[in-house]
Amino acid sequence: MRYLLVEDNRELAEAVIARLLLDGHAADHAATLAEARDWLSVADYDLMLLDVMLPDGDGRQFLTEHRATRDLPVIVLTARSQISDRVDTLDLGADDYLTKPFDFAELEARCRAVLRRRSGPSRNEIRLGEALFDPGAGTIDYGNTTLGLRNRELRLLEVFARHKGQILSKSQLIDRLFSQDAEISENAIEVYVGRLRRKLEPAGVRIETVRGIGYRLTTE
Amino acid sequence: MRYLLVEDNRELAEAVIARLLLDGHAADHAATLAEARDWLSVADYDLMLLDVMLPDGDGRQFLTEHRATRDLPVIVLTARSQISDRVDTLDLGADDYLTKPFDFAELEARCRAVLRRRSGPSRNEIRLGEALFDPGAGTIDYGNTTLGLRNRELRLLEVFARHKGQILSKSQLIDRLFSQDAEISENAIEVYVGRLRRKLEPAGVRIETVRGIGYRLTTE
DNA sequence: GCCAAGCTGACATCTGCCTGACACGGGGCG
DNA sequence: CGCCCCGTGTCAGGCAGATGTCAGCTTGGC
């Protein structure tokens, strides 16, 4: 999972980032709303943690604005004195709120809860051209056939599907699929892309090679 | 199914927990609101049973607060004298209420009702291909035979049936079947899946293995 | 035409899964 | 009270499917 933390208190921010990294997540930090906008325009996050009191503006306005354009879950961080605003906050489109100070166990639990709620029973299938990819079930449906994927193929396709159209390098893919200390050759990715292609071809899903750079998933 | 019981009367609590365990469910017990918050932050429940009179605060406030952030069904337990509050309670977001003293049969019935209501069509039986699964009775009918399941098998199948087609990891299944402090090896799940398979095979219900991830229930 | 990057069939390996056997405990029955 | 049976969870051995590497081949770019 990839997090964006928007928080101007440097000390707190560092602690949170450290903890998220420790848990094996990717995490970026923005100290201002302007920075946050920058990050959001270049990367693709799973969850945003947003402090509402920031030097260059009110986080809540940012929230409405943000909600209008994206569907990225947000957990709002507020000081205890602002609790009364919580209903407003939730109305503005936050998925949850957390009052400072909080402990990390609680933060993690909330994150998990939000991510689960988002991706849980609401069946998040991903449309890939004619085909329908269901990561939770590990299947792809097209026409009237259902085809099953195995572990690695599944996770690889998941990465591609969440970054449809973007070019992903082999090293990026290795980072997403394998644990840090695993020593894996880039050839492994080539092999898996090949296996995926063979299965996805009939479904009209293509993984294009961008020579020297990486791969890109396209649908017809 | 996994329950959280929030109740300060130790005797009653123990009896309820014992009964839930006996039924093959997972159940944790909190005697205070603080404890309840702890449990909620570490585990993932299907249903909460909440007494409103607790030593460290009013359960109803807890309920509102809780409702703002989570989507976990709640059955409130109240003393007979507090019946008049029941409308309030339901307004606050409880799914049902139960007046003490209650008997266990009623408790179970209410729990089933709430869970059923939550998970879609309010049928008591679940269709699995050709077969008809009745979680209440613990039986499966197909063709003209009825076959009985044991406790654990029953609960396991119940979880699978509620997430038909989805891949469930062994640790997820353990979470659903066993309480937090139970130390259970993943092999137990393998064994139960095996036993279930043997019984369900003739009924046309399959539990597929997805190596490295988990299991998936499918019907033909 | 040459080189680097990418593709792919074949293979050894390993680890995740399955299963028969068993030990344990509780409840019912004699 | 003791016996037995049933439900449950663990264990060890064995199997095989999934996985990653390799070597040789193909493709694309210059």
Side-chain angles (χ1 to χ4, degrees), chain A residues 96 109 116-117 123 136-137 139, chain B residues 41 44 69 165-167 216:
Chain A
D96 202 349
R116 197 188 321 127
R117 217 185 300 151
R123 267 292 160 103
T139 57
Chain B
S41 72
D44 185 24
T69 62
Q166 295 288 302
I167 300 179
R216 172 177 49 201

Side-chain angles (χ1 to χ4, degrees), chain B residues 65-76:
Chain B
E65 177 187 320
H66 167 264
R67 250 304 126 73
T69 62
R70 283 167 196 262
D71 182 41
L72 167 64
V74 177
I75 295 181
V76 164

Side-chain angles (χ1 to χ4, degrees), chain A residues 131-146:
Chain A
L132 211 53
F133 169 45
D134 185 340
T139 57
I140 299 188
D141 290 334
Y142 65 95
N144 49 12
T145 52
T146 297

Side-chain angles (χ1 to χ4, degrees), chain B:
Chain B
M1 297 296 114
R2 182 158 188 171
Y3 293 81
L4 177 62
L5 171 65
V6 188
E7 165 65 63
D8 63 331
N9 177 337
R10 180 152 302 276
E11 199 176 336
L12 175 60
E14 275 171 12
V16 172
I17 292 283
R19 178 54 176 256
L20 289 173
L21 294 179
L22 206 65
D23 285 347
H25 299 290
D28 299 315
H29 170 225
T32 63
L33 292 181
E35 254 181 78
R37 273 185 260 265
D38 286 349
W39 281 116
L40 285 169
S41 72
V42 296
D44 185 24
Y45 296 91
D46 296 295
L47 182 57
M48 171 158 68
L49 305 172
L50 176 67
D51 182 11
V52 287
M53 291 279 288
L54 289 162
D56 61 343
D58 185 352
R60 279 169 302 175
Q61 194 193 329
F62 178 66
L63 189 56
T64 5
E65 177 187 320
H66 167 264
R67 250 304 126 73
T69 62
R70 283 167 196 262
D71 182 41
L72 167 64
V74 177
I75 295 181
V76 164
L77 311 176
T78 100
R80 191 167 292 283
S81 62
Q82 302 162 330
I83 291 189
S84 59
D85 298 340
R86 108 186 139 75
V87 178
D88 296 350
T89 313
L90 293 177
D91 279 347
L92 289 179
D95 288 79
D96 203 347
Y97 71 100
L98 210 50
T99 59
K100 295 192 269 192
F102 47 81
D103 76 30
F104 293 121
E106 181 167 10
L107 175 65
E108 280 166 27
R110 300 260 179 182
C111 291
R112 261 195 314 252
V114 167
L115 289 169
R116 196 191 324 135
R117 217 182 304 151
R118 280 305 185 102
S119 64
S122 58
R123 286 292 306 277
N124 222 339
E125 300 145 334
I126 302 175
R127 159 129 260 132
L128 298 175
E130 301 297 304
L132 214 52
F133 169 45
D134 183 344
T139 58
I140 298 191
D141 291 335
Y142 65 97
N144 48 11
T145 51
T146 296
L147 90 96
L149 295 178
R150 314 201 234 279
N151 223 332
R152 274 277 131 81
E153 295 167 355
L154 179 60
R155 298 309 165 198
L156 182 58
L157 181 57
E158 199 176 354
V159 177
F160 274 120
R162 274 178 204 284
H163 303 276
K164 217 187 294 185
Q166 295 288 302
I167 300 179
L168 300 170
S169 72
K170 280 181 263 194
S171 64
Q172 277 178 305
L173 293 170
I174 288 180
D175 272 1
R176 285 281 153 281
L177 293 184
F178 301 91
S179 311
Q180 188 70 22
D181 48 356
E183 290 184 9
I184 295 290
S185 76
E186 299 207 332
N187 181 270
I189 298 295
E190 294 167 11
V191 170
Y192 276 100
V193 167
R195 289 174 185 161
L196 252 186
R197 273 179 180 151
R198 208 169 305 165
K199 295 199 176 182
L200 297 182
E201 201 79 16
V205 180
R206 286 228 307 268
I207 301 178
E208 297 174 354
T209 300
V210 185
R211 243 163 200 266
I213 308 186
Y215 298 96
R216 172 177 49 201
L217 180 136
T218 61
T219 60
E220 212 48 65

Side-chain angles (χ1 to χ4, degrees), chain A residues 30-123:
Chain A
T32 63
L33 292 180
E35 254 183 78
R37 274 185 260 265
D38 287 348
W39 281 116
L40 286 169
S41 68
V42 296
D44 190 19
Y45 296 93
D46 297 298
L47 181 58
M48 172 159 65
L49 304 171
L50 176 67
D51 183 10
V52 287
M53 290 281 287
L54 289 162
D56 60 343
D58 185 352
R60 279 170 301 176
Q61 195 193 329
F62 177 66
L63 188 57
T64 5
E65 174 188 318
H66 167 265
R67 251 304 127 72
T69 61
R70 283 165 194 264
D71 183 41
L72 168 64
V74 176
I75 296 181
V76 164
L77 311 175
T78 102
R80 194 166 289 285
S81 61
Q82 304 162 329
I83 291 189
S84 58
D85 300 338
R86 106 185 138 73
V87 177
D88 296 348
T89 314
L90 292 176
D91 279 348
L92 289 179
D95 289 79
D96 202 349
Y97 72 101
L98 209 51
T99 59
K100 295 192 271 191
F102 48 80
D103 74 30
F104 293 119
E106 183 164 11
L107 175 65
E108 282 166 27
R110 301 271 179 166
C111 290
R112 258 183 284 122
V114 167
L115 290 169
R116 197 188 321 127
R117 217 185 300 151
R118 277 305 187 103
S119 63
S122 61
R123 267 292 160 103

